[in-house]
Amino acid sequence: MDYEPLAAAVVAASGLVGLYFQTRSPNVHAAEEIKRELDILASLPEGSQLRAPLQSRVEASLRRYIAGNTPESRTRDWAGVTASMVMCIGAAFLTWMAISNGGWWWSGLVIAVPFAAVGLISFPDAFVKAERDARGRRIGPIANRSGVSDSDSAAV
């Protein structure tokens, strides 16, 4: 059986997946944007005409930000889950080909081992429901997985 077209398709698909992840537009975290707006608000003079609209905008952003910190806003990173699954499936395929065919297929393990490691390590992080930014990265401290916020733990 000729595996060359399959290998070319896998390489092309991998390139397209990588291109997709690179072109996703980065989103500035809401807290950083609010902080910038607060700095601008603080630098405006008291009698400025822009002070009232900016203050109402900051307050609205804070309301949205606080409302967004609910369990309903937690999501899974489906792109990360898919990428992890593709890596694990690719690693399993290369391992199966090496075991069943032998020969030069054993060199595929050079790719299969890192793919399996990255796929297995990144899958739980992507699958766990957490508050995320537009790129699927977790927002907030990763070490705090108990569900208790930093302000709640400081009050104890």
Side-chain angles (χ1 to χ4, degrees), residues 7 9 22 27 30 32 45 59 68 71-72 78 108 112 119 130-131 133 142 145:
Q22 285 183 350
N27 186 19
E32 293 171 0
E59 289 172 358
E72 292 83 28
W78 290 110
E131 187 177 349
D133 64 8
I142 292 177
R145 294 186 185 197

Side-chain angles (χ1 to χ4, degrees), residues 1-140:
M1 182 172 182
D2 186 20
Y3 293 108
E4 190 171 329
L6 178 64
V10 169
V11 169
S14 300
L16 290 175
V17 168
L19 182 64
Y20 170 74
F21 283 119
Q22 285 183 350
T23 58
R24 290 179 70 183
S25 61
N27 186 19
V28 177
H29 186 266
E32 293 171 0
E33 185 176 337
I34 293 170
K35 184 177 179 186
R36 273 193 309 228
E37 290 176 353
L38 283 171
D39 291 341
I40 294 170
L41 184 64
S43 67
L44 286 174
E46 288 294 326
S48 175
Q49 294 176 343
L50 298 175
R51 190 167 185 77
L54 184 58
Q55 185 168 359
S56 64
R57 177 186 162 118
V58 168
E59 289 172 358
S61 296
L62 278 171
R63 277 198 277 314
R64 279 194 311 273
Y65 180 70
I66 290 169
N69 289 335
T70 61
E72 292 83 28
S73 70
R74 295 182 179 149
T75 60
R76 291 185 170 97
D77 177 18
W78 290 110
V81 169
T82 304
S84 298
M85 296 290 285
V86 167
M87 287 181 153
C88 289
I89 290 169
F93 172 75
L94 287 173
T95 303
W96 174 72
M97 291 303 290
I99 292 171
S100 63
N101 295 331
W104 66 271
W105 280 101
W106 286 106
S107 63
L109 294 180
V110 172
I111 297 170
V113 170
F115 265 39
V118 171
L120 291 173
I121 290 170
S122 64
F123 181 79
D125 183 59
F127 191 73
V128 171
K129 281 191 171 185
E131 187 177 349
R132 300 179 185 275
D133 64 8
R135 296 185 77 177
R137 296 177 299 201
R138 284 187 184 200
I139 297 173

